[in-house]
Amino acid sequence: MSRRVMLVEDEPNITEAIRFLLIRDGWEVETHADGTDAVEVISTAKPDLVILDVMLPGKSGMEILTELRARDDLQGLPVLMLTARGQSRDRDLAEKAGVSRFMTKPFSNSEVLTAVRDLHAQATQT
Protein backbone atom coordinates (compact mmCIF):
# COMPACT_ATOMS: atom_id res chain seq x y z
CA MET A 1 0.00 0.00 0.00
CA SER A 2 1.32 3.41 -0.99
CA ARG A 3 2.01 6.04 1.66
CA ARG A 4 2.87 9.18 -0.30
CA VAL A 5 2.28 12.70 0.96
CA MET A 6 2.57 16.01 -0.89
CA LEU A 7 3.35 18.79 1.58
CA VAL A 8 2.56 22.26 0.21
CA GLU A 9 4.06 24.70 2.74
CA ASP A 10 6.25 27.77 2.25
CA GLU A 11 7.80 27.98 5.74
CA PRO A 12 11.08 26.01 5.53
CA ASN A 13 11.15 25.19 9.27
CA ILE A 14 7.61 23.79 9.22
CA THR A 15 8.28 21.92 5.98
CA GLU A 16 11.39 20.26 7.37
CA ALA A 17 9.77 19.40 10.70
CA ILE A 18 6.73 17.74 9.09
CA ARG A 19 8.86 16.04 6.43
CA PHE A 20 11.20 14.58 9.06
CA LEU A 21 8.28 13.43 11.21
CA LEU A 22 6.50 11.68 8.35
CA ILE A 23 9.61 10.08 6.86
CA ARG A 24 10.44 8.67 10.28
CA ASP A 25 6.92 7.19 10.33
CA GLY A 26 7.47 5.48 6.97
CA TRP A 27 5.91 8.00 4.58
CA GLU A 28 7.35 9.10 1.26
CA VAL A 29 7.18 12.92 1.31
CA GLU A 30 7.41 15.40 -1.56
CA THR A 31 7.40 19.11 -0.79
CA HIS A 32 6.34 22.18 -2.71
CA ALA A 33 6.39 25.83 -1.58
CA ASP A 34 4.48 27.79 -4.23
CA GLY A 35 0.73 28.01 -4.65
CA THR A 36 0.90 29.12 -8.28
CA ASP A 37 1.46 25.67 -9.77
CA ALA A 38 0.53 23.50 -6.78
CA VAL A 39 -2.47 21.85 -8.46
CA GLU A 40 -0.34 20.73 -11.42
CA VAL A 41 2.42 19.48 -9.09
CA ILE A 42 -0.11 17.54 -7.00
CA SER A 43 -1.74 16.08 -10.11
CA THR A 44 1.61 14.92 -11.49
CA ALA A 45 2.86 13.50 -8.17
CA LYS A 46 -0.34 11.51 -7.51
CA PRO A 47 0.05 11.48 -3.71
CA ASP A 48 -2.21 9.55 -1.36
CA LEU A 49 -2.69 12.65 0.76
CA VAL A 50 -1.98 16.40 0.65
CA ILE A 51 -0.98 18.63 3.54
CA LEU A 52 -1.81 22.15 2.43
CA ASP A 53 -0.98 25.49 4.06
CA VAL A 54 -3.62 28.22 3.78
CA MET A 55 -1.24 31.13 3.17
CA LEU A 56 1.06 30.47 0.23
CA PRO A 57 2.78 32.68 -2.34
CA GLY A 58 1.03 32.85 -5.69
CA LYS A 59 -2.26 31.22 -4.75
CA SER A 60 -3.93 30.54 -1.42
CA GLY A 61 -4.54 27.10 -0.01
CA MET A 62 -8.28 27.78 -0.26
CA GLU A 63 -7.98 28.44 -4.00
CA ILE A 64 -5.87 25.30 -4.44
CA LEU A 65 -8.38 23.21 -2.48
CA THR A 66 -11.25 24.54 -4.61
CA GLU A 67 -9.35 23.64 -7.80
CA LEU A 68 -8.52 20.15 -6.49
CA ARG A 69 -12.18 19.48 -5.70
CA ALA A 70 -13.23 20.71 -9.15
CA ARG A 71 -11.12 18.04 -10.86
CA ASP A 72 -12.61 14.58 -11.26
CA ASP A 73 -9.26 12.85 -10.71
CA LEU A 74 -8.56 14.74 -7.45
CA GLN A 75 -12.00 15.13 -5.86
CA GLY A 76 -11.50 12.33 -3.35
CA LEU A 77 -7.89 13.15 -2.47
CA PRO A 78 -7.59 13.62 1.32
CA VAL A 79 -6.45 17.16 2.20
CA LEU A 80 -5.20 18.22 5.62
CA MET A 81 -5.19 22.01 5.74
CA LEU A 82 -2.84 23.92 8.03
CA THR A 83 -3.32 27.52 9.08
CA ALA A 84 -1.71 29.98 11.45
CA ARG A 85 -5.08 31.68 11.73
CA GLY A 86 -7.59 29.59 13.60
CA GLN A 87 -10.61 31.78 12.96
CA SER A 88 -13.85 29.92 12.52
CA ARG A 89 -14.37 31.77 9.22
CA ASP A 90 -11.29 30.06 7.76
CA ARG A 91 -12.49 26.70 9.02
CA ASP A 92 -15.97 27.28 7.55
CA LEU A 93 -14.52 28.27 4.17
CA ALA A 94 -12.26 25.22 4.14
CA GLU A 95 -15.13 22.89 5.02
CA LYS A 96 -17.31 24.39 2.28
CA ALA A 97 -14.45 23.92 -0.18
CA GLY A 98 -14.18 20.24 0.74
CA VAL A 99 -11.26 19.97 3.18
CA SER A 100 -10.82 16.57 4.82
CA ARG A 101 -9.37 17.95 8.05
CA PHE A 102 -8.32 21.37 9.34
CA MET A 103 -5.45 21.98 11.79
CA THR A 104 -4.33 25.22 13.44
CA LYS A 105 -0.64 26.04 13.93
CA PRO A 106 1.08 25.46 16.26
CA PHE A 107 0.33 21.75 16.41
CA SER A 108 2.04 18.82 18.05
CA ASN A 109 3.85 16.06 16.20
CA SER A 110 1.32 13.54 17.46
CA GLU A 111 -1.58 15.65 16.11
CA VAL A 112 -0.06 15.68 12.62
CA LEU A 113 0.73 11.95 12.66
CA THR A 114 -2.74 11.06 13.93
CA ALA A 115 -4.43 13.22 11.29
CA VAL A 116 -2.32 11.83 8.44
CA ARG A 117 -2.79 8.22 9.55
CA ASP A 118 -6.56 8.71 10.01
CA LEU A 119 -7.06 10.38 6.63
CA HIS A 120 -5.00 7.71 4.88
CA ALA A 121 -6.93 4.92 6.60
CA GLN A 122 -10.27 6.50 5.66
CA ALA A 123 -9.20 6.93 2.05
CA THR A 124 -8.04 3.33 1.69
CA GLN A 125 -11.32 1.98 3.10
CA THR A 126 -13.41 3.57 0.37
Side-chain angles (χ1 to χ4, degrees), residues 62 85-94:
M62 295 293 183
R85 305 178 328 196
Q87 288 118 345
S88 60
R89 181 179 171 274
D90 289 339
R91 187 176 298 266
D92 292 344
L93 286 172

Side-chain angles (χ1 to χ4, degrees), residues 38-49:
V39 173
E40 292 80 25
V41 170
I42 292 166
S43 178
T44 301
K46 299 190 183 339
D48 299 300
L49 184 125

Side-chain angles (χ1 to χ4, degrees), residues 48-117:
D48 299 300
L49 184 125
V50 173
I51 300 175
L52 180 61
D53 187 21
V54 171
M55 293 187 288
L56 293 163
K59 192 180 287 185
S60 77
M62 295 293 183
E63 291 172 288
I64 294 165
L65 178 60
T66 301
E67 288 182 33
L68 292 174
R69 294 303 182 233
R71 291 181 52 149
D72 290 339
D73 60 330
L74 300 172
Q75 278 180 352
L77 181 65
V79 177
L80 170 61
M81 188 165 268
L82 307 175
T83 183
R85 305 178 328 196
Q87 288 118 345
S88 60
R89 181 179 171 274
D90 289 339
R91 187 176 298 266
D92 292 344
L93 286 172
E95 287 175 3
K96 284 184 179 126
V99 75
S100 307
R101 190 166 298 181
F102 194 84
M103 192 173 289
T104 304
K105 298 174 189 175
F107 40 76
S108 71
N109 289 351
S110 63
E111 285 177 302
V112 173
L113 279 179
T114 297
V116 168
R117 289 171 181 161

